[in-house]
Amino acid sequence: MIGKQVMVEGLMVLGKLETELRTLDFECCEDVEMDPFEGIFKVQGMRDGNLYMTEKPKRTRNKALFREDNSSLSLGQNGRYYFVFSLDEERVEELPQQLVRQAKAIANKVIKVIG
């Protein structure tokens, strides 16, 4: 299903960086007015030099239901609950105590809500 399309002529330069990442530059040879944009795209490069680009939809992030210092509980789009805990590697000695403390704190908040 195609919405609005504009066909333009121009020059395209394909390249590859030393890091093996590919680059593409397109320079339009016509006077075209359009809104600037940025996006993340799926790009298919074909053997004959044709390129097809499709913008990927924006990622929907889960909103945290409860938060603690280093953790959060959220409900995912798939109906599953997610508990996320992160701590710097240098604080590994604190990890067991902090994990238990924060998980208990969030569990107590859930108990209060569901009664």
Side-chain angles (χ1 to χ4, degrees):
M1 181 167 92
I2 305 277
K4 182 180 173 187
Q5 282 188 327
V6 176
M7 186 171 284
V8 295
E9 290 189 26
L11 301 171
M12 184 169 58
V13 178
L14 299 167
K16 194 181 249 188
L17 303 174
E18 292 176 1
T19 60
E20 295 296 311
L21 296 175
R22 299 178 196 280
T23 63
L24 180 141
D25 295 318
F26 179 82
E27 186 175 331
C28 184
C29 294
E30 303 176 35
D31 287 333
V32 177
E33 285 197 30
M34 57 184 280
D35 295 331
F37 65 93
E38 273 188 24
I40 297 175
F41 291 80
K42 173 186 176 191
V43 179
Q44 289 180 286
M46 309 310 265
R47 288 186 177 156
D48 61 2
N50 289 336
L51 288 173
Y52 301 97
M53 297 174 52
T54 307
E55 188 173 9
K56 292 184 174 184
K58 301 269 189 259
R59 177 179 164 202
T60 56
R61 295 188 177 264
N62 299 332
K63 292 191 173 106
L65 301 172
F66 302 105
R67 293 185 185 277
E68 280 296 313
D69 297 336
N70 307 92
S71 60
S72 66
L73 179 74
S74 60
L75 179 60
Q77 303 291 323
N78 58 358
R80 298 178 62 97
Y81 287 97
Y82 291 88
F83 177 80
V84 177
F85 177 84
S86 68
L87 195 66
D88 292 330
E89 188 177 10
E90 301 85 46
R91 298 175 59 192
V92 68
E93 293 84 20
E94 299 174 45
L95 193 141
Q97 303 93 308
Q98 290 297 323
L99 180 58
V100 170
R101 181 186 69 76
Q102 293 182 37
K104 281 183 179 180
I106 287 180
N108 286 331
K109 290 177 183 179
V110 171
I111 289 169
K112 286 179 184 175
V113 170
I114 63 175

